[in-house]
Amino acid sequence: MKLGTKLIHAGVEPDPSTGAIMTPIFQTSTYVQAAPGDHKGYEYARTQNPTRDALQKALAAIENGNHGICFGSGLAATDAIMKLLAPGDEVVASSDLYGGTFRIFTKVFAKYGIRFQFVDLQDAAQLKQYLNAATKLVWIETPTNPMLNIIDIAACSAIAREKGVLLAVDNTFASPYLQNPLDLGADIVVHSATKYLGGHSDVVHGAVIVKDDALAQQLAFIQNSCGAVPGPQDCFLVLRGIKTLHVRMQRHCENGEAVARFLRAHPKVDKVYWCGFEDHPNHGIAKKQMRGFGGMISFTLKDDSMDAALRVLSGTRLFSLAESLGGVESLIGHPASMTHASIPREERLKNGLTDSLIRLSVGIEDVEDLVADLKKAIG
Ligand SMILES: *Cc1c(COP(=O)(O)O)cnc(C)c1O
């Protein structure tokens, strides 16, 4: 089955009791048993919920995995993956990470004796020298946030596999429409479904997808034992969002390209970060592992003062100034003070994340209107 068909049909069956074509929102905490232990596979809603089950099956199918495990947010999904580890274990992570991921690693799990190394993995061969007997997990994000760097998933996977280390890929930015890390050898895919999967800026949700049965069992154990489960209404919203992922992503890609090329040609714009440019340092890898380049763009102005950036940030009307990304509407953000404020300034600057960097999540509006909005704000 091809992706567009899977997005609409995977995991979803007409409701057996009514024939409802849409999976009902099973807003219940428990399930009645005919006799002790005599039940229909559902005992208590932290452990199992039919709406969540449908979504978990859909997620597994669209990432070409065997198991989907859902959580109350993207960071709750990350939290569950980290709980696979024990004190003394080491993690090698790519250095240009979502701010909240950096924070949970350094402020929460470091305290429990897990050690982290943050490494620029744009050259995947670098990975080898950081792996040792204590390394249990490699964590990458690609494209990276907000610098839109590309990391070679297959190359990282080959190195990690040789050492028996798990590779986790945060696939939030690409979505399964553009990239399937499990097909490239990753062991674990993590999503903030709050973004492109949900797609409508109306839900906070996270997911982990794996192929391996034993790994899935451990993650389901953590999901149930720690309890960061999503509610059924949120699962319903993500399930609904997924059905139009291909149509939305196609437009995000088209609009993203038009906006990136407009910015690059603008005399007041300095650097434009978008992995679809032929001269992007890792464009070749992007072309190899992705089916398109998405709608996330970062840029700086020739006037690199904070003031100039703030004028653009407050000058747009269609691009709303807000954190988050991946919804149908366009957003503009300032990583240094918003999404990445939890990363120390020196750490940020090392990755090129300057105070004047502006990030766009290009939505699916008519692109002529989006370009006109930016033109007016940049001046
Ligand atoms: C938003 C985001 C997260 C965190 O997800 P939440 O749903 O906000 O908890 C993780 N990774 C990336 C790349 C994100 O954009």
Side-chain angles (χ1 to χ4, degrees):
M1 211 186 281
K2 294 182 74 178
L3 181 66
T5 312
K6 271 203 258 184
L7 287 165
I8 291 168
H9 293 284
V12 181
E13 300 285 348
D15 174 47
S17 61
T18 61
I21 189 162
M22 283 300 131
T23 309
I25 300 168
F26 283 89
Q27 195 78 50
T28 187
S29 62
T30 192
Y31 309 87
V32 177
Q33 308 193 3
D38 178 5
H39 54 73
K40 300 176 162 60
Y42 295 94
E43 295 150 279
Y44 182 64
R46 174 167 25 76
T47 321
Q48 314 104 342
N49 178 285
T51 318
R52 195 172 89 206
D53 280 355
L55 173 59
Q56 293 186 150
K57 283 197 187 116
L59 287 164
I62 65 178
E63 277 292 12
N64 299 332
N66 295 321
H67 307 276
I69 305 106
C70 288
F71 296 90
S73 69
L75 279 172
T78 300
D79 177 75
I81 295 167
M82 297 315 294
K83 285 171 177 159
L84 294 167
L85 305 180
D89 288 349
E90 288 195 14
V91 177
V92 178
S94 53
S95 48
D96 181 16
L97 279 186
Y98 174 70
T101 305
F102 182 82
R103 182 175 55 197
I104 195 174
F105 286 179
T106 56
K107 294 275 167 44
V108 179
F109 283 98
K111 227 170 40 189
Y112 295 117
I114 294 167
R115 286 197 293 273
F116 295 89
Q117 301 187 79
F118 298 94
V119 181
D120 181 353
L121 291 175
Q122 287 181 79
D123 171 12
Q126 294 295 315
L127 178 58
K128 208 173 224 152
Q129 63 185 295
Y130 295 94
L131 303 182
N132 61 53
T135 315
K136 293 287 154 42
L137 180 70
V138 173
W139 184 285
I140 63 176
E141 212 179 287
T142 179
T144 67
N145 177 9
M147 301 311 298
L148 285 310
N149 292 320
I150 299 293
I151 296 174
D152 189 331
I153 299 173
C156 288
S157 154
I159 295 167
R161 189 152 301 232
E162 198 189 301
K163 299 270 183 190
V165 175
L166 293 174
L167 173 67
V169 179
D170 183 335
N171 204 29
T172 300
F173 262 42
S175 90
Y177 177 80
L178 295 180
Q179 165 177 294
N180 293 116
L182 296 178
D183 290 350
L184 302 167
D187 302 286
I188 300 173
V189 170
V190 57
H191 276 284
S192 169
T194 313
K195 317 293 168 53
Y196 286 108
L197 289 176
H200 296 75
S201 308
D202 52 10
V203 64
V204 172
H205 188 104
V208 181
I209 301 110
V210 299
K211 277 190 171 161
D212 184 72
D213 297 343
L215 194 53
Q217 230 167 40
Q218 288 179 59
L219 287 161
F221 176 81
I222 293 166
Q223 179 195 42
N224 184 47
S225 302
C226 301
V229 292
Q233 167 121 8
D234 289 354
C235 292
F236 176 88
L237 286 171
V238 175
L239 204 47
R240 185 170 71 167
I242 285 175
K243 290 176 202 288
T244 55
L245 181 71
H246 50 317
V247 187
R248 288 184 286 110
M249 287 308 294
Q250 196 180 348
R251 181 67 79 88
H252 281 297
C253 290
E254 287 167 18
N255 286 2
E257 171 156 15
V259 168
R261 296 201 187 279
F262 156 75
L263 287 171
R264 185 171 244 200
H266 197 291
K268 290 193 178 168
V269 171
D270 187 21
K271 294 198 175 71
V272 184
Y273 301 95
W274 180 67
C275 61
F277 286 133
E278 297 70 14
D279 57 357
H280 178 288
N282 277 328
H283 180 68
I285 298 165
K287 260 176 83 167
K288 187 180 69 162
Q289 69 188 18
M290 299 171 75
R291 293 180 281 265
F293 307 111
M296 294 304 298
I297 300 167
S298 294
F299 68 101
T300 56
L301 299 169
K302 290 208 172 115
D303 174 354
D304 71 347
S305 67
M306 184 81 111
D307 275 358
L310 291 178
R311 268 198 300 280
V312 175
L313 286 156
S314 48
T316 54
R317 291 183 64 99
L318 284 175
F319 281 86
S320 302
L321 178 63
E323 298 205 5
S324 200
L325 61 109
V328 290
E329 62 287 299
S330 293
L331 299 181
I332 190 166
H334 184 228
S337 69
M338 297 166 75
T339 45
H340 290 65
S342 53
I343 299 179
R345 186 159 184 274
E346 321 80 75
E347 200 70 37
R348 273 196 269 120
L349 290 176
K350 265 196 256 164
N351 298 326
L353 201 171
T354 61
D355 290 342
S356 65
L357 188 84
I358 295 169
R359 190 186 82 177
L360 301 177
S361 170
V362 180
I364 64 171
E365 299 94 335
D366 285 306
V367 75
E368 295 79 4
D369 292 326
L370 296 180
V371 166
D373 192 39
L374 289 169
K375 202 179 251 175
K376 196 180 98 265
I378 298 170

